[in-house]
Amino acid sequence: MRHKHLQEWIDETVSWCEPDRVVLWQGTKSEYDNLAEAQIRAKKAIRIDNKHRKNCILFRTDPSDVARVEQRTFISTKNERDAGPTNNWIRSDILKDEMKRRYQGSMRGRTMYVIPFSMGPIGSVFSKIGVEITDSPYVVLNMHIMTRTGDKVLDILGENGDFVKCLHSVGYPLSPGQADPLWPCTPIEEKFISQFPEDNMIWSYGSGYGGNALLGKKCFALRIASNQARREKWLAEHMLILKLTSPEGTTKYLTGSFPSACGKTNLAMINPTLAGWKAETIGDDIAWLRFKDDGRLYAINPEAGFFGVASGTSWKSNPNAMKTIESDTIFTNVALTDDGDVWWEDMTETKPSHLIDWQGRDWYPDSPNKAAHPNCRFTAPASNCPVIAENWEDPEGVPISAMLFGGRRPSTIPLVYQSFSFEHGVFLASIMGSEITAATISDKIGIVRRDPFAMLPFIGYHISDYIEHWLEMGKLTSSEKLPLIFSINWFRKDEFGNYLWPGFGENSRVLKWIFNQSEGLSRGIASPVGIIPAANELDLTGLDIDENAIEKLFEVDTESWKAEIASIEDHYKLYGDLLPEELSKQLDLLKQRVGI
Ligand code: OXD
Ligand code: MN
């Protein structure tokens, strides 16, 4: 190992965790295939290789370890002020002591893998290096798909390059002869997903699932990177990146921020219904953005794969995702069909007559439980995607013309509106959110869960400082070079509870208007809340939709906005005395425009 500090950290971790073996991951396909094969032989995973799918693998987790655990996620700093009101905080020295005790001997009987990885194309000015140490083969396989790993990263690190230390253990040491459970992990109260932004360090313990354990994703690329971005004047955001080309051949790039499970992956892989329009994927979950010398904001996708929610993904909702997962994909907590393929709720119109469910039990259509876990996932290489843009790995990034922010709002919020200014755009991103549905908390139907910038669980520092950082970023260039900002709501319903907008590929009609706005081809008209399409600016050619529905989609109803403003004021209490002045100013302006 050429990098002395990395070697020291590896040695120190070995002395804490006491693994039986250490493997330095080189990032090759044969390592991946061998490790996958070993998991299948050890009955930790099932091979999925059939007429629909090649070289895929299925893992089933412990029923207690199925999602990110926000209540066990910490931003750990010296001072509580720095974590702010949206994060759990434990003082860093106290948390380190607590976790060090747990790491003691935590890898006994296991192999410790050292995975050097790059977030972003190797060698790009946008990119950052991490090294994840883990005792979970599942994590290794997933990191291999989700990031660029191995020797090529060590080459970039050289002898003294900077890297984010990411330590992960499932917290389940094995004594000699002790059988390993299918999915080792700890009870929830012993899990810790800890970010130490002052040390550029992540310590995760007790969970093997998704964002808790694949530390390059939410922990590094959002929570730690948002701190780095603030220090270094860039942005680390929960955003898809879409490449859009008009029939005339002009290309523009858009970002889209939507809370988890609002269809980001679907929009990132949209098949436009409008003739001649082409949409291609750059990324589906995270964007790192910075200004370049030409004064424009450029973005990269720091990831190399998709860790998508499988439930609900179908040939109707996302055919491009269905093609993406036809090979070299890891499935987690999906059901197994009788002919050895995967299945999940809403994948097909009719349910199979028999399945093995995500917990390995027989399942029939009248079974009371879902066959797949609602948060079941696919992990697939981005390069598998049939609509991945040919420049998705451009180390220079792509210039962003428009930023979309949205949520699930059955009422009040128009289908699309543009902010009057960048500052107003920051305001509308700060108030985005989704209405709680009966499926989540039944006694609070109608309450909006605000998810500012879709970043509520991912901002790695004080939310007031985050808003101020966005506002500062807006001052780094001239206003005409800044991306336009739009509020989006695909989910508005009529009084009978029916969706007013068809969604899916028809969303390209809204994308076209956004494209035209940023190209100066349309102007829109001012409503009290923002700029909406003027008559005939939203292309409805060939769409069977009622005039009334269109009117309702853009209705700005004073009574509803009064309630909305009260709810925003309530949400802003979160900031206490530290509500950024610009947000209260924008709220006052909104009140004036709405007429209250
Ligand atoms: C995700 C999430 O997994 O946002 O992408 O939860
Ligand atoms: Mn996400």
Side-chain angles (χ1 to χ4, degrees):
M1 172 75 59
R2 284 204 293 147
H3 198 293
K4 196 161 145 267
H5 180 58
L6 172 55
Q7 186 63 56
E8 282 165 6
W9 179 54
I10 296 170
D11 294 343
E12 184 186 31
T13 308
V14 169
S15 74
W16 289 4
C17 300
E18 302 172 27
D20 282 10
R21 285 165 299 278
V22 178
V23 169
L24 178 61
W25 189 254
Q26 292 170 325
T28 60
K29 176 164 172 13
S30 61
E31 281 168 292
Y32 177 91
D33 288 342
N34 291 340
L35 186 58
E37 183 60 44
Q39 298 312 297
I40 292 163
R41 258 186 283 119
K43 303 223 171 335
K44 295 268 191 176
I46 296 166
R47 176 182 305 290
I48 307 288
D49 206 306
N50 53 46
K51 63 176 187 299
H52 310 288
R53 251 165 271 284
K54 290 282 157 267
N55 198 33
C56 296
I57 179 167
L58 160 63
F59 282 87
R60 294 182 186 137
T61 76
D62 188 89
S64 70
D65 198 25
V66 291
R68 287 188 290 104
V69 281
E70 288 178 17
Q71 71 275 34
R72 301 298 304 161
T73 298
F74 301 92
I75 297 297
S76 183
T77 48
K78 285 196 195 77
N79 301 313
E80 188 166 9
R81 155 70 182 78
D82 295 333
T86 60
N87 288 303
N88 300 313
W89 176 82
I90 299 177
R91 210 175 74 197
S92 49
D93 52 345
I94 295 174
L95 183 55
K96 282 178 195 167
D97 281 350
E98 161 81 40
M99 290 190 72
K100 240 187 234 176
R101 263 194 316 106
R102 292 175 192 267
Y103 282 129
Q104 219 63 58
S106 74
M107 296 187 186
R108 274 185 213 146
R110 300 190 182 279
T111 301
M112 178 180 115
Y113 299 89
V114 179
I115 318 164
F117 65 94
S118 174
M119 298 311 292
I122 294 204
S124 159
V125 289
F126 288 79
S127 300
K128 298 264 180 204
I129 306 285
V131 178
E132 177 157 355
I133 292 184
T134 179
D135 55 6
S136 160
Y138 172 83
V139 166
V140 180
L141 294 171
N142 275 271
M143 285 294 287
H144 181 81
I145 295 176
M146 294 303 297
T147 70
R148 290 108 176 147
T149 62
D151 290 348
K152 49 191 184 289
V153 180
L154 282 187
D155 288 346
I156 295 280
L157 256 191
E159 286 176 15
N160 51 20
D162 268 348
F163 66 97
V164 174
K165 288 180 189 162
C166 308
L167 175 56
H168 171 253
S169 171
V170 294
Y172 202 106
L174 295 168
S175 6
Q178 185 183 350
D180 195 9
L182 177 69
W183 183 269
C185 62
T186 70
I188 177 116
E189 61 282 2
E190 289 172 38
K191 296 188 203 299
F192 290 86
I193 318 300
S194 309
Q195 282 69 204
F196 299 94
E198 287 152 354
D199 304 291
N200 268 348
M201 190 168 88
I202 301 157
W203 284 2
S204 166
Y205 182 90
S207 167
Y209 202 87
N212 300 332
L214 314 178
L215 301 185
K217 197 172 179 64
K218 307 295 185 181
C219 300
F220 180 171
L222 291 176
R223 298 194 192 99
I224 291 292
S226 61
N227 278 277
Q228 297 174 315
R230 180 182 173 214
R231 291 194 290 266
E232 299 166 9
K233 292 195 174 28
W234 51 281
L235 295 164
E237 299 297 327
H238 193 198
M239 287 174 169
L240 66 92
I241 311 170
L242 186 69
K243 178 178 182 177
L244 194 61
T245 304
S246 70
E248 291 73 34
T250 308
T251 291
K252 291 199 175 288
Y253 298 90
L254 324 176
T255 62
S257 304
F258 299 84
S260 305
C262 279
K264 279 219 312 294
T265 304
N266 292 353
L267 183 57
M269 299 182 187
I270 186 175
N271 277 337
T273 48
L274 276 182
W277 286 80
K278 186 169 172 191
E280 293 162 282
T281 314
I282 303 276
D284 81 325
D285 196 39
I286 299 176
W288 284 359
L289 309 104
R290 55 172 76 217
F291 287 107
K292 296 190 37 178
D293 290 345
D294 64 359
R296 297 196 64 191
L297 189 61
Y298 285 72
I300 61 153
N301 168 13
E303 302 190 279
F306 306 120
F307 183 65
V309 177
S311 296
T313 305
S314 67
W315 288 101
K316 179 167 176 269
S317 69
N318 193 339
N320 292 319
M322 293 302 280
K323 285 184 204 138
T324 304
I325 59 178
E326 282 177 344
S327 68
D328 305 299
T329 296
I330 300 171
F331 294 97
T332 309
N333 288 344
V334 304
L336 187 64
T337 67
D338 289 349
D339 58 358
D341 198 20
V342 291
W343 192 85
W344 44 80
E345 271 64 26
D346 298 328
M347 180 186 182
T348 51
E349 261 166 40
T350 48
K351 295 175 179 178
S353 57
H354 172 255
L355 293 163
I356 302 296
D357 78 3
W358 67 279
Q359 294 184 71
R361 305 170 303 196
D362 281 311
W363 181 96
Y364 302 93
D366 60 355
S367 292
N369 304 316
K370 291 202 175 345
H373 188 278
N375 191 36
C376 60
R377 297 283 178 149
F378 56 78
T379 317
S383 54
N384 272 12
C385 178
V387 292
I388 197 82
E390 109 305 300
N391 58 336
W392 77 279
E393 295 192 279
D394 188 340
E396 299 298 323
V398 295
I400 301 301
S401 297
M403 292 176 152
L404 284 50
F405 292 93
R408 271 178 197 273
R409 296 296 307 268
S411 68
T412 316
I413 308 295
L415 174 64
V416 56
Y417 66 91
Q418 184 189 335
S419 72
F420 292 117
S421 64
F422 183 80
E423 291 75 15
H424 180 224
V426 170
F427 168 75
L428 67 82
S430 83
I431 60 171
M432 63 183 269
S434 282
E435 203 157 292
I436 291 168
T437 63
T440 50
I441 307 174
S442 53
D443 59 346
K444 287 192 180 163
I445 296 173
I447 300 234
V448 179
R449 181 185 188 265
R450 305 273 162 196
D451 187 352
F453 290 76
M455 282 286 280
L456 194 63
F458 307 123
I459 301 172
Y461 56 98
H462 197 298
I463 188 168
S464 299
D465 295 335
Y466 172 83
I467 301 288
E468 296 289 3
H469 175 57
W470 261 88
L471 293 165
E472 284 303 311
M473 289 292 291
K475 295 183 189 138
L476 292 183
T477 195
S478 51
S479 58
E480 74 279 3
K481 290 197 171 155
L482 284 167
L484 304 181
I485 298 182
F486 296 82
S487 164
I488 296 288
N489 179 26
W490 313 130
F491 302 99
R492 200 162 182 178
K493 290 182 172 174
D494 66 14
E495 61 273 35
F496 309 109
N498 303 313
Y499 286 112
L500 289 161
W501 181 248
F504 302 109
E506 305 296 1
N507 292 339
S508 56
R509 299 171 188 276
V510 174
L511 298 180
K512 176 178 173 183
W513 182 67
I514 290 169
F515 180 104
N516 284 347
Q517 285 295 97
S518 65
E519 190 72 356
L521 297 174
S522 60
R523 302 174 58 123
I525 47 164
S527 84
V529 299
I531 301 165
I532 58 173
N536 303 324
E537 281 185 357
L538 189 66
D539 187 343
L540 299 173
T541 329
L543 184 66
D544 182 19
I545 190 168
D546 208 85
E547 286 260 322
N548 270 339
I550 297 296
E551 208 162 284
K552 281 203 179 117
L553 276 164
F554 288 100
E555 187 180 45
V556 177
D557 160 59
T558 310
E559 283 314 303
S560 309
W561 276 88
K562 279 186 187 161
E564 181 70 9
I565 285 165
S567 150
I568 295 167
E569 281 173 336
D570 198 44
H571 167 67
Y572 276 179
K573 288 188 188 138
L574 172 78
Y575 294 75
D577 295 340
L578 294 174
L579 179 68
E581 230 176 273
E582 184 66 44
L583 294 188
S584 35
K585 185 176 137 195
Q586 290 293 337
L587 183 57
D588 284 344
L589 289 171
L590 174 64
K591 283 185 189 168
Q592 282 170 25
R593 291 193 307 260
V594 171
I596 52 171

